[in-house]
Amino acid sequence: MNAHVVYATITGNNEDVADVIIKALNDAGVNVKKTEISQTEVDEFENTDIAIVVPYTYDNGSLPDEGLDFFEDLADADLTNVIYGVAGSGDTYYMSDFCLAVPKFEAQFAKTNAIKGADGVKINLRPDEQDTVRLTEFVTNLIQSAQT
Ligand code: FMN
């Protein structure tokens, strides 16, 4: 089984989230490709079993600037038979805008024929031990969905 984890980060928190996810995938025997969002073409997702996006959220719930092309292209992709999941770090200080990039990416994936394999995960700043547990469960659900 293969997975592709695409992350966006400014200060490193979302790369940390991506790395927790990648460790859980590797521990389960999944081969993982990790790329930064501005260096990634959406059609790379067509060759994977599990597609994961890990975006940060900025100004008033905005998507990462450097990921806007990727976000727009995602809506036009045909990801039939691909399982997807989105997890991201934001800051609860921003209250109603907390981690809004997560549901935004989920809505974009929903246009691609891909199948949602796990509920989105929202993380406050750097992932702590509890977040690692939640992210490991996220990965378990994605793998189970990919096996059925
Ligand atoms: N987090 C949110 O959840 N929602 C926001 O609207 C939001 N706006 C931000 C605006 C600014 C100017 C800054 C500096 C941070 C904002 N954040 C917001 C917090 C970041 O998303 C959070 O620090 C995140 O962990 C950064 O991820 P990174 O370390 O991967 O860059």
Side-chain angles (χ1 to χ4, degrees):
M1 191 182 293
N2 299 304
H4 187 163
V5 179
V6 177
Y7 68 94
T9 190
I10 296 179
T11 60
N13 292 341
N14 281 279
E15 187 166 11
D16 287 351
V17 172
D19 287 341
V20 171
I21 291 169
I22 289 164
K23 182 177 184 310
L25 287 163
N26 284 333
D27 287 350
V30 178
N31 294 315
V32 186
K33 180 172 169 184
K34 171 189 174 185
T35 59
E36 194 278 325
I37 198 160
S38 67
Q39 308 297 317
T40 311
E41 297 294 335
V42 163
D43 60 12
E44 294 175 51
F45 273 164
E46 290 166 9
N47 306 314
T48 195
D49 301 308
I50 301 173
I52 300 172
V53 174
V54 184
Y56 67 84
T57 301
Y58 247 51
D59 303 324
N60 307 111
S62 303
L63 295 160
D65 260 353
E66 72 280 21
L68 289 179
D69 286 349
F70 185 91
F71 183 83
E72 279 167 25
D73 291 347
L74 185 56
D76 298 327
D78 180 4
L79 300 180
T80 305
N81 297 325
V82 175
I83 303 295
Y84 75 88
V86 184
S89 161
D91 187 337
T92 53
Y93 169 83
Y94 295 93
M95 295 178 34
S96 59
D97 291 332
F98 177 54
C99 284
L100 275 191
V102 172
K104 285 181 178 177
F105 266 101
E106 289 182 317
Q108 212 70 340
F109 266 119
K111 300 172 184 168
T112 67
N113 289 324
I115 297 161
K116 185 172 177 175
D119 288 336
V121 182
K122 297 179 176 181
I123 287 161
N124 188 38
L125 302 169
R126 287 192 71 183
D128 62 17
E129 270 176 46
Q130 262 186 320
D131 296 322
T132 300
V133 172
R134 292 163 67 215
L135 289 168
T136 303
E137 197 176 279
F138 169 79
V139 165
T140 302
N141 289 337
L142 290 170
I143 292 171
Q144 266 170 10
S145 301
Q147 281 167 340
T148 54

